[in-house]
Amino acid sequence: MEDGRQSLELTPADLRRHTDPATLTFTTTSDLPAPDGMVGQERAQEAIDFALEMRDSRYNLFVNGEPGTGRRIAVETAVEIVAKSRPAGQDWCYVYHFDQPEEPHAVPLPPGMGRAFAHDVATFVQSSRRELRQAFSSESYAANRKQLLSDLEPRHTALWADLRETVRGLGFVLQTNELGIAILPIRPPNTPPDGAREPAPAVDDEPPVLSREEIDALPSAERDRLRVQHEQAESLLKRKLPDINALEDEMAERIRALNAETAEQTLTHSADALIAQYTISADAVDFLRRLREDMVAHADVLRSDGDDGGSPAGEFDGDDEQNADGSGDGRVSLATLLRRYRVNVLISHKADDHAPIVVEMNPSRANLLGRIESGTKRGLPFTDHLMIRAGALHRANGGFLIVQAHDLISSHAWDTLKRVLRFGMIAMDSGEAPGNQPGATLRPEPIPANVKAILIGDLSTYRPLLEQDPEFRLLFKVRADFDEEMVRTPDTELAYARYAGNVARSNGGPALGVDAVAQLIEEGCRWSEDQERLSTEFGSLRDLTLEACYWAKKEQSETTTAAHVQRAIAARERRSSLSADKYNELIREGQLVIETSGEVVGQVNGLSVRISTDHFYGVPMRITARTSPGVAGVTDIERETAMSGPSHSKGVLILSGFLAGRFAQDFPLSLSASICFEQNYEPIDGDSASSAELYALLSSLSGVPIRQSLAATGSVNQRGEIQAVGAVTAKVEAFYHLCESRGFTGQQGVLIPRANVRNLMLREDVVAAVKAGKFHIYAISTVDEGIELLTGIPAGRPDRDNRYLEGTINARVSQVLRLYSDRVRAYTGNSTGLTRP
């Protein structure tokens, strides 16, 4: 038995893979360049490159991996390489829609022309106003106007003179005001006693008129006379006024035609020159033509004196009487026209720019689609095309948009991004904020979208999107999976060194010596729980490097050494190990009962893992089993109390299969057994304790005590084979620290699956204790090997008749189970006259 134990015991060399600093080809990391690419993620890199190079709009990319694996940096680096090989997207401007002002028109332009277009339009409007003022104040315009009205003005003057003279003869005068034409009585001169009147004044004179009080003070007869004469004057005005109005309308029409012709001639040359500059964009040409037409229609307003700049955003002219349809028939203020003609440059690039890369950190609906701001006009909300602001999708158009999937989902913006990718259009509208007074809204013309969307997340975000939205699979056809570990090779070890050196250099820390890098590499293996692999959680590597550099600077060391790395590791573990220390404290105080010496039937030390926030640690747990004849099978107390997960329950059910398959081939398995994790008050899942549970059952059935100086971990299958489990390093160290605190006896140790040997990366103190013979670690492959170590008695192998050598564990278990079967048969057969045992 002693020879068998020695063959299963691991040597110190098996417990930790050391890195020989002599194998590293540098003295300090100052000799090394910065990392130049992604290491150990070839599969993810292939997926990223494929997605970025596919031009199909459905081949968007989901990058899956745990935080700290370098997902974001890797994606941004790959995107930057591809983006530099592609030209920038189009510039986009919003301009006023002359037919439907609530639907601003989108104008695409080649890269670099957006701002030039806005500047050229503003310059054209400003210079056109100056030219209009000059044209309308010129002698030629005055001569043309005089000639055009030469036959109408004399007739108009004569008609008015005749009308005024006739009305004057009736004792009234005509006065015009903002309300129209008023017929007012003339105040009579002083009358002589004989009643003769003074001579009437000349027609062109403005005689005094009677006030309302004076009229009311006249005798009744005189008021009646004025009333009759007023009716005569009013009748005369009605007969004559249509002829006068007809002449005025004809004169106004001639002036409008002359003004339109003058404005057209004034603007045509410069407008045509501007249109010729932008023939590359049909939308720009259309806007410029409509702009010229509108400026001609409002030439009388544009040539007036006023501010050339228009109103700033949020401030609006209050005298705008523009018609609702945007036509020029109503009175439009100068400020409104100047604002109408301005160009809103939504997206602008330089001519030599590459495809845009946008990393949106807050992917809300407004930040993705943009927003439409508003101001106030006459106390009501107001908005126009100048208040449209670009979103991330506009800025990324023609290039790449990178978004964190979790942020997108939490912002409830997935549907927004999906619609843009699905329909290929960026559509926005202003809507109305709840509680605001109704105001003008905008529906800007949608802009065609050509965006490669990249979501960065993990399976917790990928699965809900995949399961809840069938269109997700159609739009994100490529998934790049970032592995959490990579094969440990000289190249990946060098990558660790280059990365750590760059972190130290970038943060002003001392360069790392080869011994420090060797320590970081070993810690990377510990993080990956594999001697042959390194963790790709470069975020953790960065943190540990910074912490080691901190201790080096604190000691004023010119180089960061292995001692500094070890100190950083120890400090980190101390900061996060409060929960583990509290658990161990309960054991030391005897409140949690864990034996590390002696022997007990049906009791074994199992090993488990607990998680405290972002830190996990191993814990020893006492597992007990009680057995008796019956038909209940193996009962998991944790399962019965709803404290176990499905994996743990599965592991317990496997135990019944093992017992039946090994011992109950020629008699029925008649067993009632209970298994319990003593003093456990937290949920348990996983099957890593199933081998320990089986050892407790075998001990209870055979009556052979188990050595409490040993602990066991490992899952078991129905054939009795011990299978690998997770966190084996943490579990071994947990029992080691318990034994260390109580004092080593030289008999203590842990049983682990042989498949987990490569997963051991134990701390140096554990390795030293094993080397000194104070602590032992055994690697087993079968239940038989484990029960022999725990009991010191051979497990026994079956002969041809499936019988075991007397005195072995299996023989004892077989005998007890056969006895249980006989007793159950006797008990259940009592009604037939059988004697109950």
Side-chain angles (χ1 to χ4, degrees):
M1 184 62 200
E2 188 67 28
D3 293 340
R5 180 181 301 179
Q6 290 177 353
S7 65
L8 299 176
E9 186 171 1
L10 299 179
T11 66
D14 298 323
L15 308 183
R16 180 184 181 95
R17 179 178 173 181
H18 291 88
T19 302
D20 184 359
T23 62
L24 302 176
T25 59
F26 57 90
T27 304
T28 69
T29 54
S30 60
D31 304 331
L32 300 175
D36 54 6
M38 189 164 49
V39 178
Q41 302 286 1
E42 290 76 12
R43 187 192 305 269
Q45 185 67 66
E46 292 172 5
I48 292 172
D49 293 342
F50 172 73
L52 297 183
E53 293 172 6
M54 285 290 292
R55 297 297 185 110
D56 192 294
S57 61
R58 300 167 299 170
Y59 280 79
N60 297 292
L61 174 65
F62 189 97
V63 180
N64 170 53
E66 291 299 317
T69 54
R71 302 167 304 172
R72 181 180 58 82
I73 295 176
V75 167
E76 291 178 3
T77 301
V79 168
E80 186 175 359
I81 293 173
V82 176
K84 286 182 177 178
S85 66
R86 298 181 184 178
Q90 292 177 308
D91 285 1
W92 283 95
C93 304
Y94 271 114
V95 296
Y96 182 79
H97 197 304
F98 292 97
D99 295 327
Q100 297 175 305
E102 73 278 3
E103 298 182 5
H105 187 54
V107 175
L109 290 163
M113 293 185 66
R115 296 196 181 280
F117 180 65
H119 177 268
D120 291 344
V121 170
T123 302
F124 168 70
V125 171
Q126 184 176 4
S127 62
S128 295
R129 289 190 64 208
R130 184 170 57 251
E131 292 173 3
L132 286 172
R133 283 194 290 266
Q134 293 173 353
F136 281 91
S137 61
S138 66
E139 294 181 357
S140 61
Y141 173 78
N144 289 338
R145 189 179 190 279
K146 183 176 180 181
Q147 176 65 30
L148 196 64
L149 301 179
S150 61
D151 60 329
L152 298 180
E153 282 188 334
R155 292 169 56 192
H156 181 264
T157 303
L159 283 174
W160 266 113
D162 180 64
L163 178 60
R164 289 178 183 276
E165 184 177 358
T166 304
V167 171
R168 176 77 64 86
L170 294 174
F172 290 86
V173 66
L174 298 178
Q175 288 187 0
T176 58
N177 54 39
E178 64 274 5
L179 299 178
I181 301 175
I183 304 174
L184 302 175
I186 301 173
R187 177 184 291 116
N190 294 329
T191 304
D194 58 1
R197 295 179 180 274
E198 294 181 354
V203 174
D204 293 336
D205 295 339
E206 285 292 338
V209 298
L210 292 173
S211 65
R212 170 55 59 184
E213 292 78 8
E214 291 173 328
I215 294 174
D216 293 339
L218 291 174
S220 176
E222 184 64 18
R223 290 199 305 271
D224 292 342
R225 183 186 66 79
L226 285 177
R227 185 181 301 109
V228 172
Q229 290 178 335
H230 183 275
E231 291 175 354
Q232 292 176 355
E234 191 175 47
S235 176
L236 179 64
L237 181 63
K238 289 181 179 179
R239 292 198 306 271
K240 296 290 186 178
L241 197 57
D243 294 335
I244 295 174
N245 288 340
L247 281 175
E248 290 179 348
D249 289 344
E250 185 174 352
M251 291 169 64
E253 184 58 34
R254 289 186 181 184
I255 292 173
R256 278 196 295 270
L258 174 63
N259 289 348
E261 181 181 358
T262 302
E264 183 74 30
Q265 292 175 351
T266 302
L267 300 179
T268 294
H269 177 72
S270 55
D272 287 346
L274 183 59
I275 289 173
Q277 295 181 43
Y278 292 97
T279 54
I280 194 171
S281 172
D283 295 282
V285 169
D286 179 68
F287 168 72
L288 293 174
R289 288 174 177 166
R290 297 301 304 274
L291 172 65
R292 177 177 62 185
E293 294 173 2
D294 198 74
M295 292 180 68
V296 168
H298 296 95
D300 57 332
V301 179
L302 292 171
R303 61 190 172 91
S304 64
D305 293 332
D307 180 19
D308 287 340
S311 301
E315 299 178 6
F316 308 95
D317 181 78
D319 297 326
D320 183 3
E321 300 296 334
Q322 179 184 2
N323 289 341
D325 62 358
S327 68
D329 297 333
R331 180 64 181 174
V332 183
S333 70
L334 175 62
T336 297
L337 285 177
L338 295 180
R339 187 173 179 85
R340 173 188 299 179
Y341 299 154
R342 287 168 59 188
V343 175
N344 179 9
V345 182
L346 190 73
I347 294 297
S348 176
H349 304 92
K350 295 180 181 179
D352 57 349
D353 278 351
H354 57 69
I357 304 171
V358 176
V359 180
E360 180 52 57
M361 297 182 180
N362 181 20
S364 63
R365 182 179 186 276
N367 288 346
L368 289 176
L369 288 181
R371 65 187 188 281
I372 302 176
E373 297 176 344
S374 64
T376 57
K377 181 176 181 179
R378 292 191 288 272
L380 294 175
F382 183 89
T383 187
D384 65 4
H385 70 287
L386 294 179
M387 307 184 79
I388 302 172
R389 301 291 178 259
L393 286 164
H394 296 103
R395 298 193 300 274
N397 208 6
F400 306 89
L401 175 65
I402 303 174
V403 174
Q404 292 288 335
H406 178 270
D407 297 337
L408 183 73
I409 296 172
S410 62
S411 299
H412 305 288
W414 158 245
D415 286 338
T416 298
L417 177 62
K418 180 183 72 173
R419 279 192 294 270
V420 172
L421 298 177
R422 179 184 177 189
F423 297 107
M425 301 296 289
I426 307 173
M428 58 195 303
D429 60 82
S430 59
E432 293 185 0
N436 286 353
Q437 300 181 24
T441 60
L442 289 185
R443 295 186 301 275
E445 180 182 5
I447 291 177
N450 177 24
V451 180
K452 179 74 70 175
I454 302 167
L455 296 183
I456 300 177
D458 53 26
L459 290 178
S460 68
T461 51
Y462 181 79
R463 284 172 179 161
L465 288 171
L466 186 67
E467 295 169 359
Q468 298 174 18
D469 194 333
E471 291 182 296
F472 175 75
R473 186 190 299 272
L474 300 178
L475 296 173
F476 286 82
K477 289 183 172 293
V478 182
R479 188 182 80 192
D481 291 325
F482 272 67
D483 201 346
E484 298 178 25
E485 57 187 23
M486 57 186 175
V487 177
R488 180 175 173 179
T489 65
D491 288 340
T492 55
E493 290 180 349
L494 182 61
Y496 253 50
R498 292 175 64 179
Y499 182 85
N502 189 55
V503 169
R505 186 164 46 247
S506 301
N507 291 275
L512 284 76
V514 288
D515 59 336
V517 172
Q519 195 71 35
L520 290 176
I521 292 171
E522 293 177 18
E523 193 67 13
C525 285
R526 183 177 170 89
W527 291 335
S528 69
E529 299 185 65
D530 195 324
Q531 296 178 4
E532 305 299 327
R533 297 184 178 275
L534 290 173
S535 170
T536 57
E537 292 185 9
F538 286 96
S540 298
L541 178 60
R542 179 183 185 275
D543 294 343
L544 183 55
T545 301
L546 289 176
E547 293 166 20
C549 290
Y550 164 80
W551 292 111
K553 288 193 291 185
K554 197 173 182 68
E555 295 179 1
Q556 298 182 346
S557 174
E558 295 182 356
T559 304
T560 304
T561 66
H564 298 132
V565 177
Q566 292 167 357
R567 185 170 181 181
I569 293 171
R572 173 182 288 192
E573 291 184 348
R574 175 171 171 76
R575 290 194 301 268
S576 59
S577 63
L578 179 61
S579 296
D581 291 345
K582 289 292 186 181
Y583 188 92
N584 292 330
E585 186 177 308
L586 293 175
I587 296 176
R588 287 196 302 271
E589 294 174 351
Q591 297 186 48
L592 288 180
V593 181
I594 303 290
E595 301 292 341
T596 56
S597 61
E599 296 180 342
V600 180
V601 173
Q603 177 177 301
V604 66
N605 290 323
L607 296 171
S608 182
V609 171
R610 289 192 175 178
I611 299 176
S612 174
T613 60
D614 60 345
H615 175 67
F616 75 92
Y617 56 94
V619 293
M621 305 189 75
R622 184 171 64 168
I623 301 174
T624 61
R626 303 287 283 180
T627 56
S628 64
V631 294
V634 179
T635 300
D636 177 14
I637 293 179
E638 267 65 35
R639 179 185 180 187
E640 296 299 317
T641 56
M643 294 181 65
S644 71
S647 296
H648 180 260
S649 299
K650 175 185 176 183
V652 174
L653 294 174
I654 287 175
L655 304 184
S656 297
F658 169 80
L659 294 175
R662 172 167 289 192
F663 301 109
Q665 296 301 301
D666 51 359
F667 59 87
L669 184 63
S670 303
L671 171 68
S672 289
S674 63
I675 297 176
C676 180
F677 279 68
E678 302 291 352
Q679 293 185 287
N680 173 63
Y681 310 105
E682 295 187 6
I684 290 180
D685 200 7
D687 62 351
S688 64
S690 59
S691 64
E693 293 168 326
L694 182 54
Y695 298 143
L697 272 178
L698 294 176
S699 172
S700 178
L701 288 169
S702 65
V704 177
I706 288 177
R707 296 167 55 196
Q708 301 300 295
S709 58
L710 296 176
T713 184
S715 73
V716 65
N717 60 28
Q718 294 188 111
R719 301 178 62 87
E721 298 166 337
I722 302 300
Q723 303 168 140
V725 295
V728 65
T729 294
K731 293 173 180 177
V732 170
E733 290 179 350
F735 195 69
Y736 165 82
H737 289 307
L738 174 59
C739 296
E740 181 186 36
S741 66
R742 292 181 171 178
F744 292 117
T745 64
Q747 301 299 315
Q748 296 144 331
V750 176
L751 281 62
I752 67 169
R754 180 160 294 279
N756 279 128
V757 172
R758 65 175 291 171
N759 304 118
L760 290 173
M761 280 298 293
L762 298 171
R763 293 291 182 212
E764 294 291 357
D765 56 339
V766 184
V767 177
V770 170
K771 187 175 183 180
K774 297 178 181 180
F775 196 74
H776 308 272
I777 300 175
Y778 305 96
I780 60 174
S781 302
T782 65
V783 171
D784 290 341
E785 292 176 347
I787 197 66
E788 288 180 357
L789 286 169
L790 291 168
T791 62
I793 297 177
R797 293 185 178 183
D799 58 18
R800 293 181 180 180
D801 298 327
N802 202 32
R803 295 184 181 276
Y804 296 93
L805 183 64
E806 190 69 25
T808 62
I809 297 294
N810 287 328
R812 297 184 187 196
V813 171
S814 179
Q815 292 169 4
V816 170
L817 289 177
R818 183 180 295 274
L819 177 61
Y820 282 179
S821 178
D822 292 341
R823 288 182 176 179
V824 169
R825 281 201 303 269
Y827 184 84
T828 57
N830 190 46
S831 59
T832 61
L834 294 177
T835 302
R836 179 175 174 179

